[in-house]
Amino acid sequence: QVQLVESGGGLVQAGGSLRLSCAASGNIFSINVMGWYRQAPGKQREFVASITSGDSTDYADSVKGRFTIFRDSAKYTVYLQMNSLKPEDTAVYYCNYAIKRPFVYNVWGQGTQVTVSS
């Protein structure tokens, strides 16, 4: 069992910054992918950013150059640094932990609200 606990959401003005964190605990597999997704009211959940256990990263086009995903040295906590925030970034942000090989496993955090005012 793996559990994810998120923090760092809040209310900021357009152009401001926030840092989200996701702490993982439990039976962590050595090869995994952790990422952030977001969902605005009435919209589908969408991919934001991901990082592998080998520190390879990927970003949605909408956040490239503004957001950065990274892990701490122990690799049990992942962060999302969000700069130059826009009102369209407003959503509930969810942390994800995934294993794809040799088996498939997926865990989601509880979500944290990010609101960006005009």
Side-chain angles (χ1 to χ4, degrees):
Q1 182 183 5
V2 173
Q3 293 180 316
L4 306 175
V5 179
E6 300 168 330
S7 62
L11 172 64
V12 297
Q13 292 184 307
S17 298
L18 282 175
R19 180 178 290 183
L20 307 183
S21 65
C22 174
S25 62
N27 189 22
I28 307 299
F29 192 65
S30 59
I31 302 175
N32 61 71
V33 181
M34 295 188 69
W36 290 93
Y37 293 72
R38 66 188 182 187
Q39 187 168 21
K43 295 185 178 180
Q44 301 272 19
R45 183 175 59 193
E46 65 176 357
F47 169 78
V48 176
S50 66
I51 185 167
T52 70
S53 47
D55 288 332
S56 296
T57 59
D58 194 19
Y59 298 91
D61 287 342
S62 59
V63 306
K64 284 181 179 177
R66 300 189 297 121
F67 292 8
T68 303
I69 187 169
F70 60 98
R71 297 172 180 264
D72 65 12
S73 58
K75 298 188 176 182
Y76 292 120
T77 302
V78 65
Y79 302 90
L80 184 68
Q81 178 66 45
M82 305 185 293
N83 298 326
S84 302
L85 283 161
K86 305 174 181 179
E88 50 263 45
D89 294 319
T90 295
V92 177
Y93 284 69
Y94 296 93
C95 183
N96 175 260
Y97 166 94
I99 298 168
K100 296 182 179 180
R101 288 180 284 182
F103 50 87
V104 176
Y105 183 71
N106 226 46
V107 175
W108 294 93
Q110 80 284 356
T112 184
Q113 177 70 47
V114 172
T115 302
V116 184
S117 62
S118 301

